[in-house]
Amino acid sequence: MSEFKNFIEDIIDGDLASGKVSEVYTRFPPEPNGYLHIGHAKSLCINFGIKAKYNGKCNLRFDDTNPSKEDVEYVESIKQDIKWLGFEWDKLLFASDYFDVMFDCAVKLIKKGLAYVSDETAEEIRQRRGTLYEAGIESPFRNRSVEENLKLFYEMRDGVYEDGAKVLRAKIDMGSPNLNMRDPVIYRVLHATHHNTGDKWCIYPMYDFAHPIEDAHEGITHSICTLEFEDHRPLYDWVVQNCDFPKPQPQQIEFARLNVTNTIMSKRYLKKLVDEGKVLGWDDPRMPTLSGLRRRGYPPEALKDFCERIGVSKANSEVQESYLQSCVRDNLNRTANRVMAVFEPLKVVLTNYEGSEILSVEDNGNAEVLTYRDVPFSKELYIDRSDFALVPPPKYYRLKPDGYVRLKGAYIIHCDEAVTDENGNVTELRCSVVHNSKSGEDTSGIKVKGVIQWVDAKTSVDVTVRKLQSLLTDVVDGVTDFNERFNEQSMQIVTAKVEPSLLSAKIGDRFQFMRVGYYVLDKDSVGSKLVFNEIVGLKDSFNAVK
Ligand code: ATP
Ligand code: MG
């Protein structure tokens, strides 16, 4: 956690200093209509970060006031993702549990003469709403008596009216420069079954009315949301004040949502990809969902580090995808064990080596505590084809005819002969091992500049590797439509030979395939049939000082 304060924390400091609040209470309010994505991680980090910094509290509240599209699957996935990030909520709540509170608030407003039942259609309301330059026109139902309004509102609740036949509107100001204050609809008739309350209700509160009530009812002090809600803040405050919630009343604070280049944050489009089978599911390792990033092998600490580094601001912007990757790489460089994998195998036969031995090779030189693993070595090995050049360019430090190279964690070898087929393609290298050059006990005196990875031919394991790219291609010629930008090349399946130590890896274990990139063992692995997802490459393409 950084010691620097963002603008939200400055506000909180002020509220604590002035005595407006004595403790800090935030909430994370997802609508259970999809999986959480990287954008939600930012909101989670802000809300739970404040809880941690101020020794406060943070609720997980499912915002399920909209009856049509909620799903238990989403509720469970959201809980799992928040836990994965390492956050602990204080209370687990469902906004639909407060329908009675919301109803009572509406009745209170009617009794105060601050809400009225209207028979206007949605279209009529829209037409009379006015524009940014023109005041709205008052509803013909605006001056119904309190008694009539109460009777009609109870009838709405009791199922007397069809969907859309009547609404409850707040009575605020049709001349307000803020369109949200022009008598907004706060309740509508909707005969729909709710996943939590069943058929108890046939009227449902609108978001702008429900949300402040949820916050105030829970005693939330700072209600943090994204910038689109800035214009709704006066209505938020109006609801809290006129429903007579006790002090301290919650305060809405807006911040800029996270956008990442070539990354989809629209739940609707993500769902479309899942429904159309374009991806393996919500947790496809290419998806920007938290479950996708988890399967991709992104460590939760790296995501939190990313959210911390990009900071919190009031100005919308787009963060480079490569910046996120660079946070992931930083983390893996410290935490992931190095292993050897060969993607384009080229056979090496050591003509002066007989039998086999088990070498002890360091897992990660950057780790705080060094650990070692067993790596079998014998007469026949594979190296990567790209590590041998028949006609080497200048300063080529890998293997070449009559050249030396060190096999990582093993010996120096010398290339005696490159065997070629009738087309001149190299099919096998015949090499000799320098016997007194074993890593850690080298007395050969031979200086080699190149160190390459290898695997033992007999014991190496063939695995499936998914090479991954963004789901979206770059914007070309102004084409921004997601459907046209779907990257058909985003997952390429290749094979590799890996050292046998990987047979004991567990799903989710992350590795650096030496000199290639970072990979994670995927849940599609069965027995010795291993499947790896590419997490991120080794090279950092992000340039902070552009
Ligand atoms: P959608 O409109 O696709 O349904 P949403 O933004 O409404 O998505 P919610 O489930 O309502 O999703 O969001 C829960 C919380 O996460 C909200 O407080 C919202 O402001 C925040 N959030 C959502 N997307 C982002 C983002 N890209 N950056 C930061 N915060 C976000
Ligand atoms: Mg929402």
Side-chain angles (χ1 to χ4, degrees):
M1 219 177 346
S2 129
E3 66 273 29
F4 296 108
K5 300 258 166 136
N6 60 48
F7 81 94
I8 299 177
E9 292 160 355
D10 287 339
I11 295 174
I12 294 175
D13 284 346
D15 291 345
L16 286 167
S18 71
K20 182 182 167 199
V21 302
S22 56
E23 63 161 22
V24 180
Y25 211 145
T26 57
R27 87 286 174 262
F28 178 70
E31 193 176 337
N33 62 353
Y35 279 59
L36 296 185
H37 52 59
I38 176 83
H40 293 112
K42 177 162 180 179
S43 176
L44 282 162
C45 286
I46 295 174
N47 284 296
F48 283 95
I50 288 170
K51 165 184 155 123
K53 253 187 198 168
Y54 293 91
N55 200 15
K57 290 185 176 143
C58 181
N59 290 346
L60 167 58
R61 179 206 309 144
F62 287 101
D63 212 330
D64 61 349
T65 52
N66 187 354
S68 46
K69 48 181 181 182
E70 272 109 20
D71 204 312
V72 193
E73 179 196 349
Y74 299 139
V75 169
E76 287 313 312
S77 76
I78 290 170
K79 291 200 287 197
Q80 194 192 356
D81 290 345
I82 297 174
K83 286 189 200 154
W84 175 66
L85 282 177
F87 297 127
E88 281 175 43
W89 53 81
D90 287 275
K91 291 184 186 160
L92 173 66
L93 302 161
F94 289 85
S96 57
D97 285 336
Y98 315 149
F99 280 150
D100 285 300
V101 178
M102 295 167 194
F103 182 81
D104 291 345
C105 285
V107 168
K108 175 174 258 181
L109 291 181
I110 295 173
K111 286 183 176 162
K112 286 175 153 190
L114 292 175
Y116 60 94
V117 174
S118 164
D119 306 356
E120 296 158 283
T121 62
E123 182 55 23
E124 284 164 346
I125 292 176
R126 204 187 55 74
Q127 278 172 4
R128 293 186 181 128
R129 198 162 171 235
T131 66
L132 281 178
Y133 312 101
E134 258 178 273
I137 299 165
E138 289 190 356
S139 160
F141 306 98
R142 200 171 198 261
N143 295 315
R144 276 177 163 158
S145 68
V146 169
E147 291 66 38
E148 189 182 6
N149 281 319
L150 275 179
K151 174 176 161 289
L152 293 173
F153 188 53
Y154 288 139
E155 285 176 356
M156 280 168 66
R157 177 198 60 186
D158 296 338
V160 175
Y161 304 108
E162 300 285 295
D163 289 2
K166 288 195 167 36
V167 291
L168 184 70
R169 296 181 69 174
K171 191 170 180 177
I172 310 181
D173 179 6
M174 289 307 289
S176 170
N178 184 333
L179 277 87
N180 295 304
M181 299 299 273
R182 295 184 186 171
D183 292 10
V185 172
I186 57 177
Y187 255 100
R188 60 187 164 144
V189 179
L190 186 64
H191 293 266
T193 304
H194 188 281
H195 75 103
N196 181 20
T197 54
D199 292 322
K200 178 176 176 197
W201 297 94
C202 62
I203 55 171
Y204 289 95
M206 304 304 286
Y207 181 87
D208 279 346
F209 179 64
H211 204 87
I213 294 175
E214 293 157 24
D215 286 341
H217 182 70
E218 287 173 27
I220 300 305
T221 54
H222 297 86
S223 173
I224 296 157
C225 63
T226 44
L227 275 184
E228 318 84 271
F229 292 98
E230 195 165 22
D231 288 347
H232 299 237
R233 194 188 332 135
L235 179 53
Y236 182 101
D237 292 340
W238 186 93
V239 171
V240 170
Q241 278 154 22
N242 289 297
C243 292
D244 300 328
F245 280 100
K247 295 227 156 86
Q249 290 171 342
Q251 174 184 355
Q252 177 180 302
I253 305 172
E254 311 86 17
F255 70 98
R257 64 194 300 128
L258 170 66
N259 298 303
V260 181
T261 54
N262 291 353
T263 303
I264 313 150
M265 305 264 187
S266 148
K267 281 187 217 163
R268 219 188 45 193
Y269 184 67
L270 293 175
K271 184 167 189 312
K272 189 166 171 252
L273 290 176
V274 174
D275 291 345
E276 289 177 359
K278 292 248 196 191
V279 292
L280 303 175
W282 283 98
D283 68 347
D284 184 295
R286 292 165 293 176
M287 291 279 271
T289 52
L290 296 184
S291 51
L293 298 175
R294 172 165 65 237
R295 192 168 170 192
R296 175 84 183 247
Y298 281 22
E301 297 76 19
L303 292 184
K304 291 198 269 189
D305 179 36
F306 170 70
C307 291
E308 182 76 39
R309 289 205 227 170
I310 55 177
V312 182
S313 95
K314 269 228 174 247
N316 276 315
S317 66
E318 200 175 41
V319 180
Q320 295 291 317
E321 194 184 14
S322 56
Y323 191 50
L324 172 58
Q325 291 165 347
S326 133
C327 293
V328 170
R329 197 178 289 111
D330 272 6
N331 179 289
L332 295 177
N333 187 32
R334 281 179 279 114
T335 57
N337 284 346
R338 278 67 171 146
V339 292
M340 295 193 281
V342 167
F343 281 75
E344 299 285 340
L346 174 59
K347 191 169 232 177
V348 169
V349 179
L350 299 174
T351 52
N352 65 341
Y353 188 93
E354 296 305 326
S356 65
E357 65 184 296
I358 303 289
L359 302 169
S360 183
V361 182
E362 191 177 87
D363 288 324
N364 180 1
N366 294 338
E368 282 168 24
V369 183
L370 293 184
T371 53
Y372 297 83
R373 69 186 184 287
D374 290 344
V375 182
F377 182 90
S378 70
K379 189 180 179 70
E380 293 192 352
L381 313 169
Y382 291 108
I383 64 167
D384 204 277
R385 202 162 268 283
S386 65
D387 285 331
F388 176 79
L390 203 49
V391 187
K395 297 205 177 167
Y396 187 82
Y397 297 127
R398 291 168 277 162
L399 201 54
K400 56 191 172 193
D402 200 27
Y404 286 103
V405 81
R406 173 171 289 284
L407 300 177
K408 172 71 184 175
Y411 297 90
I412 296 174
I413 59 169
H414 177 267
C415 178
D416 303 319
E417 184 195 352
V419 181
T420 51
D421 63 13
E422 62 275 19
N423 300 319
N425 297 319
V426 179
T427 53
E428 183 178 303
L429 300 177
R430 301 185 71 78
C431 301
S432 43
V433 66
V434 178
H435 284 288
N436 57 350
S437 69
K438 193 167 171 176
S439 283
E441 44 199 82
D442 182 4
T443 55
S444 70
I446 300 172
K447 294 263 175 289
V448 290
K449 284 201 170 145
V451 181
I452 63 172
Q453 76 274 26
W454 54 276
V455 294
D456 174 47
K458 217 179 273 135
T459 57
S460 64
V461 183
D462 289 334
V463 299
T464 300
V465 179
R466 299 173 178 145
K467 299 215 141 203
L468 305 174
Q469 289 172 22
S470 306
L471 278 174
L472 293 185
T473 55
D474 289 336
V475 175
V476 178
D477 298 333
V479 174
T480 52
D481 185 336
F482 288 162
N483 297 299
E484 289 176 48
R485 287 175 64 200
F486 183 78
N487 182 2
E488 301 288 347
Q489 310 298 318
S490 52
M491 184 185 286
Q492 310 264 353
I493 310 289
V494 298
T495 57
K497 290 183 182 294
V498 302
E499 56 178 80
S501 70
L502 284 167
L503 283 172
S504 58
K506 294 187 293 297
I507 306 300
D509 281 353
R510 310 173 182 102
F511 301 92
Q512 184 191 100
F513 288 180
M514 271 185 53
R515 302 178 59 233
V516 185
Y518 292 99
Y519 295 82
V520 61
L521 189 65
D522 188 76
K523 66 174 186 187
D524 286 344
S525 304
V526 185
S528 62
K529 298 232 171 312
L530 304 184
V531 179
F532 286 91
N533 301 322
E534 180 180 27
I535 307 173
V536 69
L538 287 182
K539 281 236 178 61
D540 199 338
S541 61
F542 181 75
N543 182 359
V545 272
K546 271 209 177 113

